[in-house]
Amino acid sequence: MKNPTIKIQKTELLSDNWYILNKVTFDYQKKDDSWISQKREVYDRGNGAAILLYNKQQKTVILTRQFRLPTYLNGNDSGMMIEVCAGLLDEDNPEQCIIRETEEETGYRLTKVAKIMQTYMSPGAVTEILYLFVGAYDESMKVSEGGGVAHEQENIDVLEMPYEEAYAMIATGQIQDAKTIMLLQHAKINNLV
């Protein structure tokens, strides 16, 4: 931590049930050189990676659908979300992570992916950096049905659909996941599909 205008005074562990929730007390120097104290809860779930799988020849993409409790608790009547493949880094680097997650979730074994950006998705409360990738796929790369891994209690549907149909789902509200919207828009801007 290199910013001299921030002084961390205290960190209290509130929960480590699933990931880490801390309450941080810090001093912050304002532009007029005065100092103020603030308290914020910060959720640390580790960093993650996400990928848009695309097939330029077929003009298709592969997405996933799964239940997401936080969305269910905040207005998503079914709790189901259509998303790009994603996962936490655990001990892997971002590229290794997304190659592993792609095979687990979608059943496609990739050897090459391209990182397009990294982003803080909810910087006001969550420490996570999300590394975003794109990767070309074809039928020869399919090694299983996907769906996730049993020990993680994943229950993932694999969806292959025309890119334009997926892109239209942003406007209809069928796709509301930020990382998925960003990657679908990246594909549109860069004429990937």
Side-chain angles (χ1 to χ4, degrees), residues 18-184:
W18 188 248
Y19 298 111
I20 305 295
L21 178 63
N22 285 315
K23 181 177 179 182
V24 179
T25 304
F26 64 99
D27 295 336
Y28 176 77
Q29 189 175 24
K30 296 175 14 179
K31 290 179 184 177
D32 68 3
D33 290 333
S34 66
W35 288 84
I36 58 172
S37 286
Q38 296 185 342
K39 294 180 183 182
R40 296 288 184 268
E41 290 182 2
V42 178
Y43 193 55
D44 183 351
R45 59 185 304 268
N47 295 328
I51 189 167
L52 176 66
L53 300 175
Y54 69 94
N55 183 308
K56 192 166 185 74
Q57 291 71 37
Q58 293 182 10
K59 300 188 181 324
T60 56
V61 293
I62 292 180
L63 301 174
T64 65
R65 180 175 47 224
Q66 62 185 305
F67 179 74
R68 297 297 199 181
L69 177 63
T71 73
Y72 182 71
L73 297 174
N74 192 22
N76 179 358
D77 291 340
S78 72
M80 300 302 286
M81 292 289 287
I82 297 175
E83 307 173 36
V84 291
C85 172
L88 292 176
L89 299 187
D90 299 325
E91 299 299 317
D92 293 334
N93 69 40
E95 185 174 309
Q96 291 169 324
C97 167
I98 205 56
I99 289 172
R100 171 182 43 83
E101 288 290 336
T102 298
E103 186 170 336
E104 290 174 3
E105 292 189 5
T106 71
Y108 286 84
R109 183 173 293 152
L110 302 179
T111 57
K112 182 179 171 187
V113 296
K115 179 183 168 197
I116 59 164
M117 70 180 84
Q118 65 188 54
T119 179
Y120 291 97
M121 295 298 286
S122 189
V126 181
T127 62
E128 178 185 32
I129 296 172
L130 190 61
Y131 300 88
L132 299 178
F133 293 86
V134 293
Y137 78 93
D138 63 46
E139 277 305 306
S140 71
M141 299 172 174
K142 188 167 183 166
V143 296
S144 76
E145 294 304 309
V149 291
H151 75 271
E152 293 180 12
Q153 299 178 325
E154 293 179 316
N155 185 26
I156 299 169
D157 296 325
V158 180
L159 310 173
E160 183 176 27
M161 65 181 66
Y163 168 78
E164 290 300 332
E165 180 183 331
Y167 192 77
M169 292 169 82
I170 298 169
T172 64
Q174 293 169 281
I175 292 179
Q176 296 184 19
D177 174 66
K179 65 187 176 296
T180 304
I181 293 168
M182 291 168 67
L183 284 166
L184 288 169

Side-chain angles (χ1 to χ4, degrees), residues 3-17:
N3 187 342
T5 65
I6 305 293
K7 295 179 183 173
I8 305 296
Q9 299 299 337
K10 182 173 156 184
T11 301
E12 300 171 68
L13 179 66
L14 299 179
S15 175
D16 65 356
N17 184 39

